């Protein structure tokens, strides 16, 4: 078998194929990984309770929590409290998100709004929003408006920051190019700024929805007859830890459901990614 030689008499080496390394940190789906992790965690929890490592009074087993949840479903208390909490979250989160997006857009595209808004947001954002609930009760009464205000105020600032940061991160060369071709500013906002900022805005929705869930529980614990927060507080006062953890489980499922809905929204709105 003849071999091709170079001018200096050495054989020419055959190039070897190079393994493709440009995966770009491709996200792979593992649909059963989360279920397996939850199953292991619940199994360890149940086992620890069965062998006496955890007191049933202070940490009841998952089987007792499931039984308490079944009682809540059967007597209808779950649906009454869940309806009250979801209604407060929906109204408060919608008001805070709408206002936060408007202010965030103004800060992202307007120099004057940015100069005024950044210091104000930096000053008010660190204030614990639940600390303002007594003030909101004085202003709006003990009823629903004070809870809407607490949730909306808590959601407003994360939404402003997420929207402003997302718009500010849109490449300026794309905007300059559109302006060079004479595109109207409405078309630039609709076709360049909004699509470029949408991933950051939707990421802010995840944070603000979690904050809304935390605030509705705190507000219901302070002054509400119905709601998951009021239900958990009452169960704790009666030392019904299985019922208390059943309420906590409902809150966890609410957060999981909201996160799933936001994931579906991202897939629908961000098909181009």
């Amino acid at each position: 078998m003849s071999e091709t030689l170079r001018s200096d008499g050495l054989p020419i080496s055959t190039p070897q194929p190079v393994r493709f390394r440009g995966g770009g940190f491709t996200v792979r789906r593992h649909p059963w990984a989360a279920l397996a992790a939850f199953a292991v965690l619940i199994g360890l929890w149940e086992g620890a309770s069965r062998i006496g490592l955890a007191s049933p009074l202070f940490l009841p087993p998952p089987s007792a929590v499931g039984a308490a949840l079944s009682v809540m479903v059967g007597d209808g208390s779950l649906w009454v409290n869940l309806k009250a909490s979801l209604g407060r979250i929906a109204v408060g989160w919608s008001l805070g998100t709408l206002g936060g997006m408007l202010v965030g857009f103004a800060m992202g595209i307007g120099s004057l709004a940015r100069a005024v808004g950044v210091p104000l947001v930096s000053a008010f954002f660190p204030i614990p929003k639940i600390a303002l609930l007594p003030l909101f009760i004085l202003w709006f009464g003990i009823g629903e408006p004070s809870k809407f205000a607490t949730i909306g105020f808590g959601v407003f600032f994360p939404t402003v920051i997420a929207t402003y940061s997302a718009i500010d991160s849109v490449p300026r060369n794309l905007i300059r190019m559109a302006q060079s071709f004479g595109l109207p500013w409405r078309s630039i906002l609709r076709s360049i700024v909004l699509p470029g900022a949408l991933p950051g805005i939707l990421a802010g929705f995840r944070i603000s929805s979690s904050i809304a869930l935390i605030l509705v529980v705190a507000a219901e614990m302070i002054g509400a007859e119905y709601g998951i927060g009021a239900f958990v507080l009452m169960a704790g006062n009666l030392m019904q830890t299985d019922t208390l953890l059943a309420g906590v489980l409902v809150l966890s499922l609410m957060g999981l459901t909201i996160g799933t809905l936001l994931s579906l929204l991202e897939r629908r709105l961000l098909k181009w990614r």
Side-chain angles (χ1 to χ4, degrees), residues 76-91 144 148 216 220 226-229 250 254:
S77 60
L78 173 63
W79 313 118
V80 174
N81 293 292
L82 188 61
K83 180 181 178 181
S85 295
L86 288 177
R88 291 166 183 146
I89 291 175
V91 175
E144 299 301 310
F148 297 156
V216 74
E220 290 171 349
Y226 297 107
I228 300 298
V250 172
M254 289 170 62

Side-chain angles (χ1 to χ4, degrees), residues 228-253:
I228 300 298
F231 178 83
V232 168
L233 180 64
M234 182 182 66
N237 291 335
L238 297 176
M239 290 296 292
Q240 298 174 344
T241 50
D242 53 348
T243 305
L244 186 152
L245 288 177
V248 173
L249 176 61
V250 172
L251 291 172
S252 177
L253 293 176

Side-chain angles (χ1 to χ4, degrees), residues 145-206:
S146 59
K147 299 174 182 60
F148 297 156
T150 303
I151 298 170
F153 194 69
V155 167
F156 174 80
F157 292 101
T159 305
V160 170
I161 295 172
T163 305
Y164 159 68
S165 301
I167 293 176
D168 199 46
S169 64
V170 175
R172 288 296 185 265
N173 56 348
L174 296 179
I175 299 175
R176 296 189 186 99
M177 184 185 301
Q179 291 172 337
S180 300
F181 282 99
L183 261 69
W185 67 273
R186 290 187 180 86
S187 299
I188 295 176
L189 290 179
R190 184 177 62 252
S191 304
I192 298 176
V193 175
L194 183 58
L198 199 55
I201 295 174
L202 293 177
F205 283 3
R206 291 185 177 275

